[in-house]
Amino acid sequence: MAAGQPKPHDLRAAIADSVAEFCEGLGLAPVVEGEDPFRGKRIYVQSKLTGKPMAELRRIAGRLLEEWNDPSLQTMVDGLAARGVRSEVRNLIFASTGPKPKIVLRDAIDNVVEVVENGQFCLYYDLPVSEGGLMWSELVDWWSAALKTANTDVAARHLWTRLHTSLDSDPEKTLFRSYTKRYQAGFDQAGFDQPALIPQVYLHYDPYSSTGGRRSALVRQRMDFLLLLPGRRRVVIEIDGKHHYARPDGTADPAAYAAMMAEDRRLRLRGYEVHRFGGWEFVDNTAAHVTLDAFFDELLDGPT
């Protein structure tokens, strides 16, 4: 979390104060001058918020602001979202297990795309993504509808397996398993409230690169992982294997490395956050999980 940004306890207090002011706005003013009848409400609200990760606190604050105009809380939420991407998520194509999908622009005015070939190998999330980001619960609900089942536990396990199948390497699988422990073994309510970790997300699409052996002019057509967090915060996570900086014969490839760094800069200037892990960090599986746990704790919860 950037220096100067509100910490979880600041946001918990701001939400509790806002709820109390909302009650007062409904005409529930103190009966006796100087009395604070909302002290108990503040304490109760803060107790219910204790232990919730920063991402969930942001979601709760956003839902409260949809119902109630609180400039102080709005300022705090805006500060947390200062680095977010301004545009909305419109197309989320991910978890490919086969050939690259072929896409057409069905409506250029509304930016409506359609997968017309190889769609059976990838997933296409076609629902709006709110300011609160994309939670595991929302992804599971979407998958439940696709499976035509009301059993979200079954849908969650099925979706997890489908996403895991799309991963190309052991380090990617290690990262995915380490993060999705947050969904918890039983996929209980606390796990459902976690932001969804989305693997193999198409960022760019070059329809000409699949014809005539032409190499794409676009760098990094797919991201290893993407998190869509509250405040339009988009977090890209990449795992760098040897091919990111070396040729097949093992010699250094400065041009490939420079192109990768240039793409990182371009994404950051658009508001994305880009985090890279070196493949060597995954040689020791136990150490990798310790590193990943600490990373995700800091990324999502920040300092307490």
Side-chain angles (χ1 to χ4, degrees):
M1 187 178 297
Q5 283 192 320
K7 296 182 180 180
H9 73 267
D10 300 319
L11 189 51
R12 286 194 294 268
I15 293 171
D17 287 345
S18 188
V19 170
E21 290 172 10
F22 178 63
C23 292
E24 189 168 358
L26 294 176
L28 305 176
V31 176
V32 179
E33 186 176 354
E35 178 189 3
D36 184 5
F38 306 116
R39 181 173 181 275
K41 292 183 175 63
R42 288 188 175 93
I43 294 173
Y44 172 75
V45 172
Q46 289 208 51
S47 69
K48 298 296 288 184
L49 298 175
T50 298
K52 287 190 177 296
M54 197 62 166
E56 179 62 12
L57 291 175
R58 292 179 187 178
R59 282 172 56 83
I60 292 169
R63 291 175 62 184
L64 181 59
L65 289 169
E66 290 174 1
E67 303 292 335
W68 159 247
N69 181 28
D70 183 336
S72 296
L73 181 60
Q74 185 68 64
T75 298
M76 184 174 291
V77 171
D78 290 344
L80 288 166
R83 294 180 297 165
V85 178
R86 294 182 180 180
S87 60
E88 297 179 356
V89 176
R90 293 189 175 91
N91 304 299
L92 192 57
I93 302 171
F94 61 105
S96 177
T97 58
K100 183 172 73 174
K102 292 189 177 180
I103 301 170
V104 297
L105 193 59
R106 177 62 64 186
D107 189 329
I109 297 174
D110 287 335
N111 192 28
V112 176
V113 304
E114 182 178 336
V115 180
V116 295
E117 193 172 326
N118 297 329
Q120 70 272 30
F121 299 113
C122 63
L123 303 182
Y124 182 16
Y125 186 80
D126 53 0
L127 300 179
V129 177
S130 71
E131 290 280 346
L134 183 58
M135 296 292 115
W136 176 242
S137 58
E138 295 170 305
L139 205 60
V140 169
D141 287 345
W142 166 76
W143 194 247
S144 297
L147 293 180
K148 296 182 171 57
T149 177
N151 190 324
T152 54
D153 188 69
V154 169
R157 294 176 185 278
H158 189 275
L159 177 58
W160 188 96
T161 301
R162 172 62 182 81
L163 297 178
H164 189 267
T165 302
S166 72
L167 302 175
D168 295 329
S169 67
D170 288 337
E172 288 180 355
K173 293 174 183 177
T174 296
L175 188 146
F176 186 74
R177 288 194 295 266
S178 185
Y179 177 84
T180 55
K181 284 190 300 183
R182 292 172 173 266
Y183 301 160
Q184 300 186 0
F187 293 96
D188 63 15
Q189 190 56 49
F192 277 115
D193 285 340
Q194 294 292 322
L197 181 65
I198 312 165
Q200 304 298 316
V201 180
Y202 278 96
L203 174 64
H204 306 306
Y205 182 74
D206 181 356
Y208 303 107
S209 63
S210 59
T211 59
R214 174 185 174 276
R215 183 174 180 179
S216 176
L218 297 174
V219 179
R220 197 183 309 155
Q221 293 197 55
R222 283 197 302 185
M223 298 176 282
D224 289 343
F225 298 98
L226 176 67
L227 287 161
L228 298 174
L229 303 179
R232 297 186 178 181
R233 187 180 170 202
R234 300 181 191 174
V235 176
V236 177
I237 302 173
E238 297 281 351
I239 300 177
D240 295 341
K242 195 172 182 179
H243 64 282
H244 287 86
Y245 53 84
R247 301 182 181 91
D249 63 2
T251 59
D253 190 344
Y257 181 78
M260 182 176 68
M261 292 298 100
E263 177 66 8
D264 280 359
R265 291 195 302 272
R266 191 188 70 81
L267 284 176
R268 290 193 183 101
L269 289 173
R270 287 181 57 196
Y272 285 78
E273 298 174 39
V274 182
H275 299 276
R276 290 190 169 277
F277 288 89
W280 187 257
E281 295 181 80
F282 295 84
V283 171
D284 184 325
N285 194 58
T286 300
H289 281 296
V290 172
T291 297
L292 290 166
D293 287 345
F295 167 73
F296 286 120
D297 285 344
E298 182 71 16
L299 177 70
L300 297 178
D301 301 340
T304 58

